[in-house]
Amino acid sequence: MQATIPVLPPWEAAMLSWAASLNQIGILAVLALVFLLGYRLRSSILFTAGSVSIIGSCGAVLAVAAIFGQVLDQVARGRLAEAIGANKRSAEEGVTFVGDFNFAALMAGPRPFGSPL
């Protein structure tokens, strides 16, 4: 479903912008890992004590940023779906906006900004 909303409510707009920021942090963590591994491949010793701590830190940042970015994104999209009437509930039936949690972001980096659910 696609909808055009002329003005986003401030809380949902803030959550979407934080989600996009966290996704960008995750992408930067993946790029830092690729750069570090590419740089270390040029030397005779692939992993040193310093590079192991950097790799662990990048992995932790990637995991935390990916999880919180996806959670904020799904909460904001759900609230926007309710605001535009996509989640109209009646006494007889209820329709809910179903979000997805993608574990691929934890393994290969977050999805690009603006990608569909």
Side-chain angles (χ1 to χ4, degrees), residues 12-35:
E12 285 79 7
M15 286 195 303
L16 286 173
S17 64
W18 275 108
S21 298
L22 289 171
N23 282 336
Q24 291 299 319
I25 290 172
I27 290 170
L28 289 175
V30 169
L31 291 175
L33 282 171
V34 169
F35 175 77

Side-chain angles (χ1 to χ4, degrees), residues 8-9 11 23 86 88 90 100 102 104 110-111:
L8 285 177
W11 182 249
N23 282 336
K88 288 191 175 184
S90 63
D100 67 330
N102 187 0
R111 63 182 177 206

Side-chain angles (χ1 to χ4, degrees), residues 4-111:
T4 302
I5 303 171
V7 177
L8 285 177
W11 182 249
E12 285 79 7
M15 286 195 303
L16 286 173
S17 64
W18 275 108
S21 298
L22 289 171
N23 282 336
Q24 291 299 319
I25 290 172
I27 290 170
L28 289 175
V30 169
L31 291 175
L33 282 171
V34 169
F35 175 77
L36 175 71
L37 291 176
Y39 180 74
R40 294 305 303 168
L41 281 174
R42 293 179 50 197
S43 69
S44 60
I45 301 173
L46 185 58
F47 294 110
T48 63
S51 64
V52 168
S53 64
I54 293 172
I55 290 171
S57 299
C58 286
V61 166
L62 176 61
V64 170
I67 289 172
F68 285 122
Q70 285 188 30
V71 168
L72 284 176
D73 186 56
Q74 293 302 321
V75 168
R77 288 180 190 224
R79 290 179 73 166
L80 284 173
E82 288 178 2
I84 64 172
N87 273 356
K88 288 191 175 184
R89 294 185 180 123
S90 63
E92 297 84 29
E93 63 180 310
V95 178
T96 59
F97 179 77
V98 179
D100 67 330
F101 189 82
N102 187 0
F103 287 103
L106 298 175
M107 296 179 275
R111 63 182 177 206

